[in-house]
């Protein structure tokens, strides 16, 4: 039925409809921890890296042989914001974590790789009750050698990586009601083990740097995360998050370095092992453009680490040995606050036309067709650093 001229318009629904053309508010700036991070946050070890190890080339690993998530580490909460105006740690929270055993040798870009074992993971997925999803695989393995000789650079190494059976579970729900949108998520992961090792030599006759290394490490871990979020509207919202995880790891490494230009000929090695378990809780939210959160947790564990070095470093004869053990409980508390300075365009005709116009121009993304509008602060920084 046609609308009579002069009649009042009907009141629209306060909640967004699932229509494709319905404009959506811009994503708010988030300093909140990620619900499911893609990388493991490795706690900082209490024992510094030996000078011989730092004299080698930058570390790099071979292509990952696994598709499962790396083991979780309980030394620190995952997904922490990059800016924390206030943070404090007490007890043995930082001392019970160990780190080491990463690959030390970097192969040149055009090096030849010969694969001896390449067993990829076989994924398995199944939908469970309540909308959850279970994922698992029986593990994977990879072993190869890398060689290169030319241009004054010689590299020969062998590396292997293996991951045992692992499984993960994910469940999430959302609800739109009269007072806003609520969502909840639960994730869990279990990794039986993950191990990697490398042995090889690298020589650069141009810069007269010679390195030999032997490294190995193994780790295992489990973790559970639960979070809930509620947004009253695009201006006010909050969330809570809880984490519990446990891990164990062991490593060993030995490095020999010769660099005549710096009068260095050093041999070093270290071994370590540790186990930790921790629980963390986070509460945060946003009011307008101000976002913030507070994270508190406790970790318990035990670790042992020993290392030594001998040789000439920068013209000085040095030798040392160090043994470090730790056991106990520690706490970790931190907060973060951020202010969103981006220019938010209110949903309207302009935001609704952007996707349609991008499709008409046959471009893969709307941002390519029409550059998003920037705030005065963003334009100032872009002009100052030459990115405008």
């Amino acid at each position: 039925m046609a609308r009579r001229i002069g009649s009042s318009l009907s009141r629209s629904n306060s909640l967004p409809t699932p229509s494709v053309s319905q404009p959506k508010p811009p994503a708010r700036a988030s300093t909140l921890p990620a619900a499911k991070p893609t990388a493991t946050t490795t706690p900082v070890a209490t024992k510094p890296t030996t000078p011989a190890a730092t004299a080698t080339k930058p570390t790099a690993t071979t292509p990952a042989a696994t598709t499962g998530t790396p083991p979780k580490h309980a030394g620190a909460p995952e997904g922490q914001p990059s800016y924390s105006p206030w943070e404090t740690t007490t007890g043995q929270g930082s001392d019970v974590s160990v780190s080491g055993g990463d690959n030390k040798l970097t192969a040149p870009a055009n090096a030849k790789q010969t694969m001896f074992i390449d067993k990829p993971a076989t994924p398995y997925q199944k939908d469970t009750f309540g909308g959850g999803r279970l994922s698992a695989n029986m593990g994977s393995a990879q072993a190869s050698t890398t060689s290169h000789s030319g241009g004054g650079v010689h590299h020969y190494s062998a590396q292997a990586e293996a991951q045992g059976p692992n499984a993960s579970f994910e469940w999430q729900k959302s609800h739109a009601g009269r007072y806003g949108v609520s969502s909840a998520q639960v994730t869990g992961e279990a990794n039986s083990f993950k191990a990697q090792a490398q042995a090889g030599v690298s020589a650069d006759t141009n810069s007269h740097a010679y390195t030999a290394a032997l490294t190995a490490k193994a780790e295992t871990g489990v973790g559970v995360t639960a979070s809930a979020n509620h947004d009253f509207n695009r201006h006010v919202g909050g969330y809570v998050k809880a984490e519990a995880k446990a891990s164990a790891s062991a490593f060993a490494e030995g490095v020999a370095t010769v660099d005549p230009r710096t009068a260095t000929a050093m041999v070093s090695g270290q071994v370590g092992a540790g186990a930790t378990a921790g629980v963390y809780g986070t509460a945060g939210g946003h009011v307008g453009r101000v976002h913030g959160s507070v994270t508190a947790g406790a970790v318990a564990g035990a670790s042992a680490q020993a290392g030594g070095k001998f040789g000439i470093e920068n013209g000085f004869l040095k030798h040392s040995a160090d043994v470090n053990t730790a056991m106990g409980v520690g706490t970790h508390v931190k907060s973060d606050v951020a202010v969103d300075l981006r220019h938010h365009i209110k949903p309207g005709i302009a935001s609704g036309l952007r996707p349609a116009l991008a499709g008409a121009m046959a471009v893969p993304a709307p941002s390519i067709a029409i550059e998003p509008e920037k705030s005065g602060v963003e334009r100032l920084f872009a002009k100052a650093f030459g990115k405008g």
Side-chain angles (χ1 to χ4, degrees):
M1 180 178 66
R3 185 178 303 276
R4 184 166 56 88
I5 297 177
S7 61
S8 59
L9 298 178
S10 59
R11 184 177 182 181
S12 60
N13 191 356
S14 59
L15 296 177
T17 62
S19 173
V20 176
S21 62
Q22 173 70 25
K24 297 181 179 180
R28 70 187 188 202
S30 177
T31 61
L32 315 179
K36 190 176 182 181
T38 59
T40 301
T41 300
T42 306
V44 178
T46 57
K47 181 178 177 59
T49 307
T50 59
T54 59
T56 63
K57 295 183 178 181
T59 61
T61 58
T62 57
T66 63
T67 58
T69 305
K72 290 178 173 291
H73 290 275
E78 297 179 3
Q80 59 266 39
S82 58
Y83 172 66
S84 296
W86 182 79
E87 182 175 4
T88 180
T89 301
T90 63
Q92 302 293 322
S94 301
D95 299 334
V96 295
S97 302
V98 296
S99 177
D102 295 317
N103 294 350
K104 302 295 183 183
L105 301 177
T106 304
N110 55 347
K112 178 184 177 181
Q113 186 178 36
T114 304
M115 194 72 62
F116 293 96
I117 300 175
D118 188 9
K119 180 185 178 300
T122 303
Y124 168 81
Q125 289 188 352
K126 180 178 177 60
D127 294 333
T128 62
F129 59 92
R133 183 177 62 181
L134 177 65
S135 303
N137 66 68
M138 295 306 295
S140 59
Q142 186 182 78
S144 64
T145 60
T146 305
S147 61
H148 174 80
S149 180
V153 178
H154 306 275
H155 176 97
Y156 304 96
S157 64
Q159 45 276 327
E161 182 176 336
Q163 180 163 335
N166 56 84
S168 63
F169 174 78
E170 181 178 358
W171 173 89
Q172 57 182 355
K173 283 289 186 180
S174 60
H175 172 73
R178 183 177 181 180
Y179 299 102
V181 180
S182 302
S183 61
Q185 184 178 35
V186 177
T187 61
E189 298 178 54
N191 298 269
S192 57
F193 74 91
K194 182 180 180 181
Q196 70 178 47
Q198 184 192 51
V201 295
S202 178
D204 188 345
T205 57
N206 298 321
S207 58
H208 302 286
Y210 309 92
T211 304
L214 174 63
T215 60
K217 72 174 181 178
E219 52 190 349
T220 182
V222 295
V224 178
T225 302
S227 61
N229 181 85
H230 182 80
D231 286 324
F232 294 95
N233 49 48
R234 62 191 300 262
H235 302 289
V236 180
Y239 80 101
V240 293
K241 180 181 179 181
E243 295 179 81
K245 45 189 174 175
S247 67
S249 61
F251 75 93
E253 62 183 32
V255 180
T257 303
V258 176
D259 189 348
R261 296 183 308 170
T262 59
T264 297
M266 181 72 67
V267 177
S268 65
Q270 59 178 339
V271 295
T276 56
V279 291
Y280 300 91
T282 303
H286 70 103
V287 178
R289 292 178 177 269
V290 179
H291 303 253
S293 68
V294 176
T295 299
V299 60
S303 66
Q305 193 166 338
K309 64 179 181 180
F310 177 81
I312 301 174
E313 183 179 18
N314 297 325
F316 293 89
L317 179 63
K318 295 183 178 181
H319 61 88
S320 65
D322 185 21
V323 177
N324 182 24
T325 61
M327 181 175 63
V329 179
T331 62
H332 187 200
V333 181
K334 67 178 179 179
S335 67
D336 72 284
V337 178
V339 179
D340 186 2
L341 298 179
R342 298 178 302 173
H343 179 59
H344 291 180
I345 302 176
K346 295 182 179 180
I349 297 178
S351 59
L353 289 179
R354 286 177 185 268
L357 183 57
M361 297 177 65
V363 294
S367 59
I368 299 178
I370 303 177
E371 184 178 356
E373 185 176 350
K374 296 181 179 179
S375 66
V377 176
E378 289 176 315
R379 289 194 297 268
L380 177 62
F381 279 99
K383 185 177 180 180
F385 293 99
K387 298 181 180 180

